[in-house]
Amino acid sequence: MVSRVYVEKKPGFDGEAKSLERELRGLLGVSALTNLRIINRYDVEGASEELFASCVPTVFSEPQTDNAWAQMPEVAPGSQVFAVEFLPGQFDQRADSASECIQLISQGERPTVRSAKVYVLEGDLTPADVDAIKHYVINPVEAREASLEERKTLLQDYPTPEPVEQLEGFLDLTDEELAQFIADRGLAMDLADIKFCQSYFASEKRVPTITEIRVIDTYWSDHCRHTTFGTALEHVQIDDKVVAAAFDRYLEMRHELGRDSKPVCLMDMGTIGAKYLKSQGVLKNLVES
């Protein structure tokens, strides 16, 4: 059996809803929005009715600041309502904490808890306004729109994954075909990167899987590899006198540290100060890993 409770902050304590409401009107430009409510929804499976009822005012809500209902509370006529939940496999801190608290109270088995945020939008909103708001509050990387219906079980059915794709013919692709492969797969690496991968797997005498290529692509992306920061700057022209003086000071510190053979790059500029202070013995409590 799945038990459900809806929890909403009382007026004066609903800072999250009011802050988002201002963002949607000011930043997103949805001027027709007159009021926004955020209601936290909890579904619990594996707890008795008595245990669940005792946890509503202790685990799921604070009577001084929250209203709690067993059913979805009434909304203003014409309101638009949608719910957002984490994707399967994503860690839900709110649900996990609630589940742990219930177990501490019962001293028994740990129940399953799922949470969702229900957004109530009031005002004369167009479908485009609602879509824009959904796009703003739902991060597709970690969340999705949730059903508003009651749930009979919280067990999740995970489909059997398909076999990992083996990239047959990858070792024989020409430069033009490799460039097209990058475009078709939406990879972040450039042609030189993919050619290096091709050469490596040729030396291994096997074709890679798409998983291997995507893992390499992720770790070689600008976010993880800091490609931009590591790019060697061979010809630098600075028109601003203050910036030029700072750059000259950077070159002096490089020379003092014996780093003339190292490439000039943004990463070196960003870390040269700490390296210099360390060499002078004035960088205290430094932790290196």
Side-chain angles (χ1 to χ4, degrees), residues 7-10 13 54-68:
V7 179
E8 181 182 16
K9 291 294 181 184
K10 294 179 179 179
F13 298 95
S54 69
C55 290
V56 169
T58 55
V59 174
F60 299 109
S61 66
E62 297 179 0
Q64 300 89 342
T65 61
D66 298 317
N67 291 316

Side-chain angles (χ1 to χ4, degrees), residues 40-218:
N40 288 306
R41 187 184 77 190
Y42 300 92
D43 290 318
V44 180
E45 187 173 29
S48 66
E49 291 185 10
E50 294 77 15
L51 175 60
F52 177 76
S54 69
C55 290
V56 169
T58 55
V59 174
F60 299 109
S61 66
E62 297 179 0
Q64 300 89 342
T65 61
D66 298 317
N67 291 316
W69 302 271
Q71 303 293 329
M72 177 66 187
E74 293 186 4
V75 300
S79 297
Q80 301 293 323
V81 181
F82 68 95
V84 179
E85 64 183 359
F86 281 102
L87 291 171
Q90 285 285 348
F91 179 66
D92 185 346
Q93 179 68 64
R94 184 185 295 271
D96 184 74
S97 297
S99 177
E100 185 175 9
C101 288
I102 295 173
Q103 184 182 33
L104 289 172
I105 292 172
S106 68
Q107 293 296 299
E109 295 294 325
R110 187 166 182 174
T112 301
V113 180
R114 299 277 185 269
S115 75
K117 279 191 176 183
V118 181
Y119 295 86
V120 180
L121 311 175
E122 299 178 10
D124 188 17
L125 302 173
T126 66
D129 289 334
V130 177
D131 287 342
I133 292 172
K134 288 182 178 180
H135 181 74
Y136 186 81
V137 301
I138 301 176
N139 179 358
V141 173
E142 64 177 17
R144 66 184 180 186
E145 186 170 354
S147 171
L148 298 176
E149 301 298 322
E150 297 285 341
R151 304 181 67 167
K152 295 181 178 180
T153 179
L154 299 183
L155 294 177
Q156 300 195 33
D157 183 23
Y158 295 100
T160 302
E162 297 293 329
V164 177
E165 180 186 1
Q166 301 282 332
L167 300 178
E168 300 295 341
F170 176 79
L171 304 183
D172 302 319
L173 296 180
T174 64
D175 287 3
E176 291 76 14
E177 291 171 331
L178 286 172
Q180 189 60 47
F181 177 86
I182 292 174
D184 293 342
R185 302 285 180 159
L187 302 179
M189 63 176 71
D190 58 21
L191 182 59
D193 292 332
I194 197 72
K195 288 180 67 176
F196 181 87
C197 291
Q198 186 185 52
S199 175
Y200 170 78
F201 284 105
S203 69
E204 290 284 309
K205 297 182 173 57
R206 68 177 182 88
V207 297
T209 65
I210 186 59
T211 301
E212 289 174 309
I213 291 298
R214 291 202 179 280
V215 168
I216 294 172
D217 187 59
T218 298

Side-chain angles (χ1 to χ4, degrees), residues 235-251:
H235 304 287
V236 180
Q237 178 180 337
I238 302 174
D239 297 327
D240 188 281
K241 292 183 179 180
V242 176
V243 178
F247 183 72
D248 290 339
R249 178 58 180 142
Y250 156 70
L251 295 178

